[in-house]
């Protein structure tokens, strides 16, 4: 029997154990992918240690389980009914899974499935374990199986390491689309120095957003973000005065067209409200961040100002492919990401040191073959 190396968690908060497990065979419409890089996002540590306590409605897979949200690699084998993907194709695996047969899934809206589940991460309800049973392999493993419909084909100029950031980039891209941001529009990114915030800035530049305003706390990091495109990006250190005052100053008292909130878990509702007040009349806000506190939101202000507030979760494989194409064309520039490569056997050490290194420019990836 062929085996492969995988990092499995046996108990919540326990170390990931490196184990040889049977190599899976792809079912007829699935593929087997040799993982070359898997993103290790700052939130993975929370998922492995605190998730059942923080979010009991977002179930983890039955243990032992293999985690790892954002795998990229090479197709090693295709199922008997796979026609348009070949062995050797370079791919990013979108980990978004649905039940496959509900009304949402049949409409191609997997993120709206009641069983919506992140392969290698966590689910959103009682249907999720069925999805984990079908796709039990996270990216912290030498190989994973995945549905053919979940693959984003990568152009040669996108490295596996950069592709391992597609989860956050795609989340940002879906938010930018929902916000209606683009040429001639201004966009305020709340928390622009973080992993998600920097991705929103890169995708905003790629999609032609005319003016990007970014808030943050770390001045050095804010200056680095501004340097990406000094004529299009303005940054603001929060704390001294309201975001709204600054935004009005920068927009001739109109306010910004769109706000994308990318604040990390634990950020207070007040920090999100502060940014929402920067919207112009008719503006649109999209939340993709980690704020979990209930907002004391004045809906009368929203009505009178014609304001929209939209929640956005993840992205479609189609949106993932559009990002790959922007990168192929060079409008999406991923060269600023600093890849921090971690061998699979070093994953436990890496996870415990991630929290003090939570900056958007760092791109932590596990390389299973190292
Ligand atoms: Zn479904």
């Amino acid at each position: 029997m062929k085996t492969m190396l995988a990092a499995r968690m046996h108990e919540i908060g326990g170390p990931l154990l490196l184990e040889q497990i049977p190599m899976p065979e792809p079912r007829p419409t699935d593929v087997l992918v040799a993982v070359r890089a898997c993103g290790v996002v700052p939130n993975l540590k929370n998922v492995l240690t605190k998730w059942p306590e923080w979010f009991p409605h977002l179930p983890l897979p039955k243990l032992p389980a293999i985690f790892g949200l954002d795998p990229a690699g090479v197709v090693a084998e295709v199922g008997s009914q796979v026609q348009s993907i070949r062995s050797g194709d370079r791919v990013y695996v979108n980990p978004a899974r649905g039940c496959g047969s509900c009304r949402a899934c049949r409409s191609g809206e997997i993120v709206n499935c009641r069983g919506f589940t992140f392969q290698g991460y966590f689910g959103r309800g009682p249907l999720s374990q069925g999805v984990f049973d079908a796709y039990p392999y996270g990216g912290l493993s030498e190989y994973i199986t995945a549905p053919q419909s979940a693959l984003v084909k990568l152009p040669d100029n996108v490295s596996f390491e950069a592709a391992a950031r597609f989860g956050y980039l795609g989340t940002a891209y879906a938010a930018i689309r929902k916000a209606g941001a683009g040429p001639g529009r201004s966009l305020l990114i709340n928390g622009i120095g973080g992993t998600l915030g920097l991705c929103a800035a890169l995708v905003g530049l790629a999609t032609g957003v005319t003016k990007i305003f970014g808030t943050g706390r770390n001045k050095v990091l804010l200056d680095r973000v501004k340097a990406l495109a000094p004529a299009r990006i303005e940054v603001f250190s929060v704390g001294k005065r309201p975001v709204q005052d600054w935004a009005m100053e920068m927009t001739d008292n109109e306010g910004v067209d769109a706000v994308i909130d990318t604040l990390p878990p634990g950020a207070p509702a007040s920090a999100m409200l502060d940014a929402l007040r920067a919207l112009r009349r008719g503006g649109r806000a999209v939340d993709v961040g980690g704020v979990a506190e209930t907002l004391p939101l004045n809906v009368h202000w929203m009505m009178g100002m014609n304001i929209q507030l939209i929640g956005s979760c993840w992205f479609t494989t189609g949106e993932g492919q559009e990002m790959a194409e922007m990168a192929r064309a060079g409008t999406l520039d991923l060269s600023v990401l600093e890849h921090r490569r971690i061998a699979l056997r070093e994953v436990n050490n890496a996870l415990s040191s991630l929290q003090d290194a939570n900056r958007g420019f760092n791109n932590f990836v596990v390389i299973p073959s190292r």
Side-chain angles (χ1 to χ4, degrees):
M1 187 177 60
K2 275 202 221 167
T3 62
M4 65 175 183
L5 192 64
R8 293 205 296 179
M9 188 170 81
H10 288 251
E11 56 174 330
I12 299 295
L16 304 180
L17 303 184
L18 284 179
E19 297 172 314
Q20 289 289 338
I21 62 170
M23 172 105 100
E25 284 191 17
R27 288 168 299 194
T29 57
D30 289 346
V31 300
L32 182 72
V33 175
V35 179
R36 294 291 169 79
C38 178
V40 179
V41 299
N43 196 44
L44 178 61
K45 179 79 175 169
N46 297 329
V47 170
L48 297 180
T49 55
K50 305 190 183 110
W51 218 242
E53 181 193 333
W54 283 6
F55 302 111
H57 60 291
L58 302 177
L60 299 184
K62 268 191 269 184
L63 302 179
I66 308 168
F67 290 83
L69 180 64
D70 282 302
V74 176
V75 174
E77 198 181 328
V78 302
S80 57
Q81 292 170 24
V82 175
Q83 302 200 34
S84 299
I85 299 282
R86 291 183 182 82
S87 286
D89 282 353
R90 301 171 75 256
V91 295
Y92 164 76
V93 179
N94 185 344
R97 303 280 165 274
C99 72
S101 50
C102 73
R103 188 161 61 99
C105 284
R106 286 182 288 110
S107 305
E109 298 167 359
I110 289 172
V111 293
N112 293 333
C113 173
R114 285 190 304 125
F116 176 57
T117 299
F118 289 119
Q119 181 175 345
Y121 211 37
F122 62 85
R124 298 200 162 258
L127 296 179
S128 287
Q129 187 54 50
V131 178
F132 287 130
D133 291 343
Y135 295 102
Y137 306 98
L140 301 181
S141 176
E142 284 185 300
Y143 291 86
I144 62 170
T145 55
Q148 58 181 334
S149 57
L151 302 178
V152 172
K153 286 202 195 183
L154 298 173
D156 289 339
N157 64 342
V158 174
S159 67
F160 296 118
E161 289 89 343
R165 194 63 175 266
F166 266 33
Y168 275 39
L169 287 160
T171 296
Y173 179 47
I176 279 174
R177 294 186 71 196
K178 291 187 181 85
R185 299 286 170 134
S186 59
L187 169 66
L188 188 149
I189 299 168
N190 203 24
I192 201 166
T195 309
L196 188 50
L198 178 68
C199 286
L202 296 177
V203 177
L205 292 171
T207 53
V209 174
T210 299
K211 201 83 193 180
I212 295 174
F213 301 106
T215 68
R217 295 188 172 278
N218 180 329
K219 180 77 171 60
V220 176
L221 209 49
L222 286 174
D223 289 344
R224 277 194 73 185
V225 175
K226 179 166 173 64
L228 295 174
R232 289 169 70 193
I233 297 179
E234 301 293 343
V235 291
F236 176 72
S237 292
V238 293
K240 289 197 187 73
R241 60 193 183 118
V243 173
Q244 182 187 29
D245 290 2
W246 172 67
M248 290 301 160
E249 226 171 79
M250 303 302 289
T251 58
D252 202 13
N253 275 323
E254 191 190 0
V256 299
D257 293 308
V259 168
I260 292 183
D261 196 286
T262 66
L263 294 175
S270 58
M272 188 172 176
L273 282 177
D274 194 22
L276 291 183
R277 291 191 196 100
L279 284 169
R280 67 160 165 84
R281 289 189 62 82
R284 201 182 279 183
V286 180
D287 174 41
V288 282
V291 170
E293 203 180 0
T294 300
L295 257 62
L297 190 60
N298 186 331
V299 292
H300 192 259
W301 166 78
M302 282 182 73
M303 181 278 291
M305 288 280 285
N306 214 15
I307 296 285
Q308 298 177 57
L309 172 60
I310 302 166
S312 183
C313 179
W314 208 244
F315 60 102
T316 66
T317 299
E319 287 169 329
Q321 191 64 56
E322 287 172 21
M323 283 195 310
E325 300 309 329
M326 286 191 282
R328 186 198 305 273
T331 59
L332 177 59
D333 181 1
L334 301 176
S335 64
V336 298
L337 298 178
E338 294 167 16
H339 306 311
R340 310 287 183 204
R341 298 175 181 85
I342 303 157
L344 194 52
R345 76 185 88 86
E346 295 296 328
V347 70
N348 290 300
N349 291 341
L351 280 171
S352 48
S353 64
L354 272 183
Q355 272 159 335
D356 45 344
N358 182 8
R359 298 164 54 214
F361 288 94
N362 280 333
N363 183 38
F364 294 96
V365 290
V366 166
I367 311 289
S369 57
R370 263 184 132 199

